[in-house]
Amino acid sequence: MPKTAMVLAAGLGKRMRPLTDTMPKPLVRVAGKTLLDWGLDSLAEAGVAKAVVNVHHFPEQIVAHVAGRQKPAVVVSDESTGLLDSAGGVVKALPELGADPFLLLNADTFWIDRDEPNLKRLALAWDASRMDILLMLADFSSATGHSGGTDFLLGPDGTLKRAAGDPSGLIYAGAAIMHPRIFAGAEATPQSLNLYFDRAIAAGRLYGMKMEGRWITVGTPDAIAPAEAVVAGAMAQDA
């Protein structure tokens, strides 16, 4: 299990307005817990010691929210002067992430594990000799709140290629393990992780693992109620 994680929490959350007119999207609550804490709690359960959280929109609110958190310990990467997009944010945080493979989480998605925690399954599937990036994936039947199409096709050997609209594909579930070597020579300028996904595909080093359980994405205010219904159903099932 990687000991360090990057949580992408710097987006503007425009689709979540009017809630994000007064708060950053990662602090929107679903079932009594902020989106950010859903992710941080998953990291803590998996044994991750340190999480780097990038901030931009109402950054002081996230800084205050994570101030007392110890598991994982949170380090803030400040992008308040300019958004760097997903990959640029990671590059800026590399000094804190270190030289070993790290976990990456989106702050606006989370999941309800079935049995074995999905982050532990992801860590068991990771093989740095074959992989540069390992993505957690979800299918439509396990997804709540997803309004787009599929992202990747999963090969029998675990390698990925772009789904290009294929309905049999899987959804990127907003969690991954990646090796920092893929960012060698990169500068902390606005750039998307899609560039690095495509490079890994070309090298045959982008892999995927299908998650188990329920995957939830909250992109708009009207996605909160369905998300809370799924959480309530899962809690009732566990009771």
Side-chain angles (χ1 to χ4, degrees):
M1 175 63 64
K3 293 302 180 186
T4 305
M6 176 84 198
V7 182
L8 298 175
L12 296 173
K14 292 180 179 179
R15 293 172 57 229
M16 193 60 89
R17 289 173 175 165
L19 296 178
T20 49
D21 287 338
T22 56
M23 71 168 70
K25 183 178 178 182
L27 295 189
V28 170
R29 290 183 178 270
V30 174
K33 185 190 294 191
T34 69
L35 289 169
L36 179 58
D37 284 325
W38 278 105
L40 291 173
D41 286 351
S42 293
L43 294 173
E45 182 185 8
V48 175
K50 173 182 171 182
V52 182
V53 177
N54 65 346
V55 297
H56 174 80
H57 188 52
F58 294 111
E60 70 287 347
Q61 292 187 31
I62 294 180
V63 171
H65 183 78
V66 302
R69 182 136 197 159
Q70 296 180 346
K71 291 186 178 181
V74 174
V75 174
V76 172
S77 180
D78 188 358
E79 296 178 27
S80 56
T81 58
L83 273 172
L84 294 172
D85 206 340
S86 51
V90 173
V91 173
K92 178 179 172 62
L94 283 176
E96 290 288 350
L97 294 170
D100 295 324
F102 59 88
L103 277 160
L104 179 88
L105 294 188
N106 289 347
D108 59 354
T109 62
F110 65 99
W111 57 91
I112 307 296
D113 293 315
R114 180 175 295 159
D115 295 311
E116 182 94 14
N118 281 293
L119 290 185
K120 291 188 177 180
R121 294 181 60 242
L122 197 68
L124 286 171
W126 170 256
D127 179 357
S129 67
R130 294 183 296 127
M131 306 171 184
D132 285 336
I133 305 171
L134 173 64
L135 303 182
M136 192 169 88
L137 305 166
D139 59 26
F140 274 107
S141 65
S142 67
T144 297
H146 183 67
S147 58
T150 61
D151 298 306
F152 296 99
L153 295 174
L154 180 63
D157 60 351
T159 56
L160 297 180
K161 62 180 180 180
R162 293 285 183 179
D166 191 326
S168 68
L170 297 168
I171 306 160
Y172 171 45
I177 296 177
M178 51 186 60
H179 201 292
R181 64 187 169 217
I182 65 174
F183 301 106
E187 296 184 4
T189 55
Q191 52 186 304
S192 171
L193 280 170
N194 280 307
L195 169 65
Y196 295 88
F197 292 168
D198 288 338
R199 286 177 180 173
I201 289 173
R205 297 182 65 84
L206 183 70
Y207 281 72
M209 183 208 75
K210 188 175 174 183
M211 62 160 288
E212 295 178 351
R214 297 290 306 181
W215 178 70
I216 301 166
T217 179
V218 183
T220 59
D222 60 6
I224 295 175
E228 292 185 329
V230 170
V231 174
M235 295 177 99
Q237 199 170 24
D238 288 344

